């Protein structure tokens, strides 16, 4: 029914310009200290997404992504909506946006579409990536853009028992200077009313050649009265090698630590120190992103004090799967 509505809208008003359906299914084996975790192993449909975007007028456009395999909670349908926002572009330099958006937190891992990630840092696994808000972006040049955003605090989604009106204030810099790309942010994130944790996230990409790139993210988290650097932080690195349109190899490592006693960080909890190492391969039989096969392995070690931890000590994860995309129009 939704497809029929979208196609009718296209025929009558030319509003919808792109409509894509994408899905990913995996076979996964999860072991902790050599013992299989049967409850989280086996075949699983990971993602089923519908993406729509279009131009409403010369200066007004929209973008929408719905994740059909994500549960809608008591707040309704939009819990399974990753984003649904409108852009207004009065000039070539300025863009104003409002709606449900990606929270402007820097880093390459954070900015990937979830369907393109196989294993992640503990911070990524525990944080929220999308929230209702508004932003203003200014294009400094062809190589640099700044964006200021005010949105719901991700902590409101992490702890769903909280019924607080709390916000996140974000400043983002996107840059591309020769082989060096940046996704840097400074964030003030309320974890309870009137109390903030600050993020300084420095996402960098170094492109050594068209085939080889290195993504390196450093995020520091600090609350009031804490030493700023290295006590509560995450470091993520990924090396990519793509020798052809059909084949890509990658190796990835992450390190999450919190040796503070502050209750401010709801993502990487006090006493946590976790390392994850892994590698994988992607195969594109058609030489484009319409069909992708993947296989990867990762191992995590350390201490995780979160009772809902995703990364566990002595955990091995083997994953193979298939992703497909239909570009309807």
């Amino acid at each position: 029914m939704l497809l029929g509505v979208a196609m009718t809208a296209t025929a009558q008003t030319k509003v919808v310009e792109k409509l894509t359906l994408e899905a990913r299914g995996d076979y996964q084996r999860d072991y902790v200290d050599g013992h299989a975790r049967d409850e989280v192993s086996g075949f699983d449909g990971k993602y089923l997404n519908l993406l729509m975007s279009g131009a409403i007028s010369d200066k007004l456009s929209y973008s929408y992504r719905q994740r059909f395999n994500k549960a809608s909670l008591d707040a309704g349908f939009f819990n399974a909506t990753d984003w649904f926002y409108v852009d207004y572009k009065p000039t070539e330099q300025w863009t104003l946006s409002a709606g449900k958006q990606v929270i402007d937190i820097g880093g390459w891992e954070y900015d990937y579409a979830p369907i393109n990630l196989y294993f992640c840092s503990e911070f990524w696994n525990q944080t929220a990536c999308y929230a209702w808000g508004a932003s203003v972006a200014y294009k400094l040049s062809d190589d640099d853009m700044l964006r200021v955003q005010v949105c719901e605090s991700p902590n409101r989604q992490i702890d769903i028992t909280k019924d607080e009106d709390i916000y996140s204030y974000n400043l983002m810099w996107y840059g591309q200077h020769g082989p060096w790309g940046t996704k840097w942010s400074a964030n003030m994130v309320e974890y309870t009313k009137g109390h903030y944790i600050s993020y300084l996230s420095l996402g960098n990409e170094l492109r050594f050649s068209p085939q080889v790139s290195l993504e390196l993210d450093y995020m520091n988290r600090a609350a009031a009265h804490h030493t700023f650097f290295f006590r509560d932080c995450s470091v993520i690195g990924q090396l990519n090698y793509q020798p052809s349109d059909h084949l890509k190899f990658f190796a990835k490592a992450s390190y999450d630590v919190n040796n503070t006693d502050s209750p401010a960080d709801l993502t990487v909890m006090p006493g946590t120190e976790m390392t994850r190492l892994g590698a994988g391969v992607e195969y594109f039989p058609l030489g484009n992103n319409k069909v992708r096969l993947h296989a990867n392995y990762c191992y995590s070690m350390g201490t995780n004090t979160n009772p809902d931890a995703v990364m566990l000590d002595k955990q091995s994860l083997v994953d193979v799967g298939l992703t497909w995309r239909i570009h309807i129009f």
Side-chain angles (χ1 to χ4, degrees):
M1 181 178 179
L2 180 59
L3 176 58
V5 171
M7 293 181 71
T8 301
T10 303
Q12 294 179 352
T13 67
K14 303 296 183 184
V15 169
V16 177
E17 294 183 344
K18 295 180 181 179
L19 182 62
T20 301
L21 187 66
E22 61 181 12
R24 183 179 128 200
D26 294 18
Y27 179 76
Q28 179 175 293
R29 299 301 303 172
D30 195 328
Y31 300 88
V32 173
D33 200 14
H35 300 286
R37 301 175 69 209
D38 292 333
E39 68 277 12
V40 291
S41 296
F43 289 100
D44 187 22
K46 293 285 188 179
Y47 297 97
L48 177 59
N49 303 330
L50 179 72
L51 299 89
M52 298 172 62
S53 62
I56 300 172
S57 69
D58 290 343
K59 297 183 178 181
L60 202 61
S61 61
Y62 74 94
S63 186
Y64 166 56
R65 186 171 78 192
Q66 187 73 23
R67 200 184 309 180
F68 288 111
N69 63 309
K70 184 177 179 182
S72 294
L73 305 178
D74 56 359
F77 178 78
F78 283 108
N79 285 291
T81 302
D82 286 341
W83 63 68
F84 190 16
Y85 61 86
V86 174
D87 283 343
Y88 174 60
K89 195 175 181 66
T91 71
E92 284 300 313
Q93 285 73 39
W94 291 96
T95 304
L96 288 71
S97 301
K100 192 169 187 183
Q101 307 175 332
V102 178
I103 303 173
D104 278 341
I105 296 175
W108 246 257
E109 181 188 61
Y110 184 89
D111 216 35
Y112 268 106
I115 199 171
N116 295 327
L117 292 168
Y118 308 112
F119 53 89
C120 297
S121 64
E122 185 67 9
F123 171 81
W124 187 94
N125 280 296
Q126 298 296 344
T127 196
C129 295
Y130 313 101
W132 291 94
S135 63
V136 178
Y138 182 70
K139 186 178 178 181
L140 297 169
S141 68
D142 290 341
D143 301 319
D144 296 285
M145 184 183 74
L146 291 177
R147 187 160 60 208
V148 177
Q149 181 189 59
V150 179
C151 65
E152 283 185 314
S153 171
N155 289 320
R156 189 175 186 179
Q157 300 178 54
I158 295 170
D159 185 355
I160 61 174
T161 64
K162 287 189 173 185
D163 188 19
E164 292 185 286
D165 188 25
I166 54 177
Y167 296 91
S168 181
Y169 304 91
N170 313 310
L171 174 63
M172 189 84 173
W173 168 42
Y174 289 100
Q176 188 66 53
H177 296 272
W180 178 42
T182 63
K183 296 179 181 180
W184 289 17
S185 74
N187 313 82
M188 292 294 294
V189 182
E190 279 187 295
Y191 63 92
T192 190
K193 192 67 176 179
H195 296 87
Y196 295 87
I197 182 169
S198 63
Y199 297 167
L200 179 62
S201 186
L202 309 177
N204 302 273
E205 182 194 46
L206 294 174
R207 187 159 288 279
F208 302 105
S209 72
Q211 294 79 31
V212 181
S213 65
L214 174 65
E215 299 158 4
L216 185 60
D217 300 335
Y218 172 75
M219 169 184 273
N220 201 86
R221 300 174 291 271
H225 312 300
H226 284 168
T227 303
F228 194 73
F229 287 105
F230 307 119
R231 294 192 64 191
D232 184 2
C233 66
S234 296
V235 182
I236 306 102
Q238 180 168 314
L239 180 64
N240 303 302
Y241 173 54
Q242 188 162 359
S244 73
D245 291 337
H246 295 274
L247 201 59
K248 177 183 176 181
F249 301 94
F250 69 91
K252 183 176 180 180
S254 66
Y255 174 70
D256 300 274
V257 64
N258 183 351
N259 62 11
T260 75
D261 57 2
S262 169
D265 192 350
L266 302 184
T267 60
V268 180
M269 298 207 166
T272 293
E273 186 172 8
M274 291 296 301
T275 300
R276 172 170 269 176
L277 304 171
V281 59
E282 296 176 331
Y283 175 61
F284 305 87
L286 303 179
N288 55 36
N289 70 345
K290 291 184 178 181
V291 179
R292 178 183 66 197
L293 301 170
H294 72 263
N296 58 82
Y297 169 82
C298 67
Y299 182 79
S300 59
M301 65 200 101
T303 301
N304 198 336
T305 60
N306 191 331
D308 299 317
V310 174
M311 292 172 59
L312 304 173
D313 184 34
K314 300 178 182 179
Q315 180 184 37
S316 295
L317 185 64
V318 180
D319 182 89
V320 296
L322 168 68
T323 304
W324 56 264
R325 293 177 172 91
I326 297 176
H327 301 290
I328 299 170
F329 58 81

